[in-house]
Amino acid sequence: MLVLTAILLAIGLLWALLAIWDHHRATRSLHLAIQHHRPFLREQIPGATGRDWTQLCADANELILEVTRLNQLRSDQLAQLQATLGSLQEAVLIVDSNNYILLANRALQAIFPAAKNIVNHRLERALHSTAFLNYVENVRNNSAQPQQEIEFVEGNRTTWVEITGTIIPSIDQRESWALFVIHDITKLKKLELVRKDFVANVSHELRTPLSVIKGYTETLVDGHQEMPLDDRDRFLRTIQRHTERLNSLLDDLLTLSRLESINPGLRRESCDLSALVVGIVDDYRARPAAAGHHLSFAMDPAVGPVLIDPLKITQVLENLIDNALKYTPKGSHIEVATKLKEGEVEVSVRDDGPGIPEADLPHIFERFYRVDKGRSREKGGTGLGLSIVKHIVQLHQGRAWAESKVGKGTTFYFNLPQRGST
């Protein structure tokens, strides 16, 4: 009797275990169906029997169909937004309430090249900026400024943007999304910095000669009757020298302004460059400034006619020769040469003077940059000559650069496209 009871209990226990296993398998199958948004077929799972399972499966399948429909609706509407906003020049970004990126158009990827394939990624992983994340939260809290400038730094790359944000309802109206319109203002920031530097430099360059002229003039006005003639003559010559410096500075500023305008006044014509160079060098040999210097030229006979503005190229060569004469001692040798090189004409002005330190070479074509500031002013330089050279050469689709070693001289180069007469 005890054996029979044990057998019956074992059978009952086995049946219960099988039933529990079937229910577990059915529950897991339902979980996977909901997770993957696919219908749950009760008939395929032995354990999913009974009225309760029938109702549960029906409710689950209805929920799965609704979720699938909403997801499809969301995907369709996001696709429509992408099609509408994708071609806009303004960058557009949409993130959900959990900071997952729902939409990023092509203009955004143009601003942030590293931010590719960022849809469905978290915002903080795609765009690294604490200031931007704070702005996103302020937009959600309705406490953000209408527009805000934000700096993004990625390695050596700095990007400035102007961002406008607003809250929009999600497609299913169950949450709020944040929409941002982003403008790249990096170039404007750089131009603003250049403008500030330019104004500061011009003010500084004008202040020095004006202070000297003002001081010497006031001294002459107050005491010219008792002042010895030699002192009066020295004061007047100093005023004249600084007035000429002011005039040169204003002339160079006007020249730069014209070169950077929409119509720089470039008048190209077919010109024998070698003859032009020879004429300029011969003219300089007769000038007092060249006394004690040895000027020469080396012309490549392969250089034919080039299509240039002769007056502006003359200005380039004169600026480079003037520089060589100012900053090399008496007895130095200055050579102007032309060379045909890979379809371009390369012009060089070489001297054997003191040279330029390597650290200064990348900056010498910048406005008002001087290697030796005090000595440059003594020589009457405005700090704009090489900047004018660079702009004129660029207008001719060429490039200007320099090579130098301290104690071994400097060579300034510029190239011009080789073009025959038309």
Side-chain angles (χ1 to χ4, degrees):
M1 185 68 180
L2 291 174
V3 174
L4 179 61
T5 302
I7 292 172
L8 290 175
L9 285 174
I11 292 172
L13 182 60
L14 179 61
W15 179 85
L17 288 173
L18 289 174
I20 293 172
W21 172 251
D22 286 341
H23 277 281
H24 174 73
R25 187 169 56 166
T27 304
R28 179 164 178 77
S29 298
L30 179 61
H31 171 74
L32 291 173
I34 295 173
Q35 186 178 26
H36 296 289
H37 300 163
R38 65 170 182 262
F40 177 73
L41 302 177
R42 182 176 57 83
E43 294 78 6
Q44 296 180 359
I45 308 299
T49 58
R51 183 183 304 173
D52 292 339
W53 267 108
T54 301
Q55 185 60 43
L56 179 61
C57 291
D59 292 343
N61 284 335
E62 185 177 345
L63 177 62
I64 290 170
L65 289 174
E66 180 63 15
V67 171
T68 302
R69 186 185 69 81
L70 290 175
N71 284 341
Q72 185 61 47
L73 179 63
R74 171 174 168 158
S75 298
D76 291 344
Q77 293 194 355
L78 282 174
Q80 290 177 5
L81 281 173
Q82 180 65 50
T84 303
L85 304 175
S87 58
L88 290 180
Q89 292 184 353
E90 291 82 5
V92 178
L93 179 72
I94 299 178
V95 297
D96 67 11
S97 57
N98 295 315
N99 267 11
Y100 279 93
I101 298 171
L102 302 175
L103 183 144
N105 67 349
R106 287 190 296 271
L108 183 79
Q109 295 178 12
I111 297 175
F112 304 105
K116 293 183 179 179
N117 302 319
I118 61 174
V119 174
N120 297 326
H121 287 74
R122 288 191 63 85
L123 183 62
E124 49 268 50
R125 292 186 60 186
L127 299 175
H128 310 290
S129 170
T130 302
F132 180 49
L133 294 176
N134 291 337
Y135 180 72
V136 172
E137 289 305 313
N138 290 337
V139 168
R140 290 198 176 103
N141 298 330
N142 199 28
S143 60
Q145 300 176 5
Q147 290 181 333
Q148 183 166 329
E149 294 181 359
I150 296 177
E151 180 184 18
F152 289 82
V153 179
E154 288 284 346
N156 295 327
R157 176 187 171 90
T158 299
T159 303
W160 278 93
V161 298
E162 184 180 73
I163 299 180
T164 302
T166 188
I167 295 296
I168 61 174
S170 64
I171 293 170
D172 56 11
Q173 306 291 322
R174 296 183 180 180
E175 61 173 331
S176 295
W177 293 346
L179 180 146
F180 302 94
V181 178
I182 302 172
H183 297 271
D184 187 355
I185 58 171
T186 305
K187 290 183 179 179
L188 292 177
K189 280 288 184 181
K190 290 180 179 178
L191 288 174
E192 182 181 350
L193 181 61
V194 169
R195 180 187 62 81
K196 288 180 178 178
D197 289 344
F198 180 71
V199 171
N201 285 328
V202 169
S203 300
H204 178 73
E205 294 294 332
L206 291 174
R207 186 180 293 114
T208 301
L210 282 174
S211 298
V212 173
I213 292 171
K214 183 175 182 294
Y216 276 68
T217 302
E218 289 174 350
T219 302
L220 285 171
V221 169
D222 293 339
H224 67 281
Q225 293 179 347
E226 298 83 11
M227 184 179 291
L229 289 178
D230 289 345
D231 289 344
R232 190 189 307 174
D233 182 66
R234 180 168 55 84
F235 275 38
L236 290 172
R237 290 186 182 278
T238 300
I239 292 172
Q240 182 185 35
R241 185 172 70 254
H242 283 275
T243 302
E244 290 173 350
R245 171 169 161 69
L246 275 177
N247 188 62
S248 297
L249 180 60
L250 293 174
D251 284 344
D252 284 350
L253 286 171
L254 289 173
T255 298
L256 268 179
S257 177
R258 285 193 295 269
L259 292 173
E260 293 176 343
S261 66
I262 297 175
N263 182 17
L266 199 67
R267 294 179 174 84
R268 294 175 183 266
E269 61 182 73
S270 182
C271 176
D272 185 343
L273 185 62
S274 297
L276 181 70
V277 170
V278 170
I280 293 172
V281 172
D282 284 342
D283 177 59
Y284 266 90
R285 283 172 174 164
R287 297 186 186 184
H293 288 81
H294 303 286
L295 271 70
S296 65
F297 49 81
M299 302 294 102
D300 185 348
V303 175
V306 289
L307 199 61
I308 59 172
D309 183 327
L311 291 178
K312 285 187 168 53
I313 295 300
T314 296
Q315 190 174 7
V316 168
L317 288 166
E318 287 181 344
N319 274 335
L320 294 178
I321 296 173
D322 280 337
N323 259 16
L325 291 173
K326 285 176 185 175
Y327 303 117
T328 57
K330 298 293 184 181
S332 298
H333 181 248
I334 299 169
E335 181 189 69
V336 184
T338 62
K339 183 179 180 181
L340 188 61
K341 191 175 182 180
E342 297 179 357
E344 295 179 331
V345 178
E346 184 180 274
V347 184
S348 61
V349 178
R350 185 189 312 272
D351 67 61
D352 55 4
I356 299 172
E358 184 177 355
D360 292 302
L361 277 176
H363 306 286
I364 57 175
F365 290 96
E366 297 173 6
R367 298 172 182 177
F368 297 111
Y369 190 86
R370 293 183 174 91
V371 176
D372 185 342
K373 296 177 175 56
R375 188 161 172 261
S376 296
R377 290 193 178 93
E378 288 176 6
K379 298 289 185 178
T382 64
L384 295 172
L386 291 179
S387 184
I388 291 172
V389 167
K390 182 188 72 174
H391 278 78
I392 292 176
V393 172
Q394 287 178 343
L395 286 174
H396 284 80
Q397 289 80 51
R399 181 174 69 94
W401 71 99
E403 296 176 0
S404 181
K405 289 186 177 180
V406 175
K408 296 185 177 180
T410 303
T411 304
F412 283 92
Y413 297 90
F414 67 91
N415 56 15
L416 299 168
Q418 169 74 355
R419 294 173 179 170
S421 58
T422 58

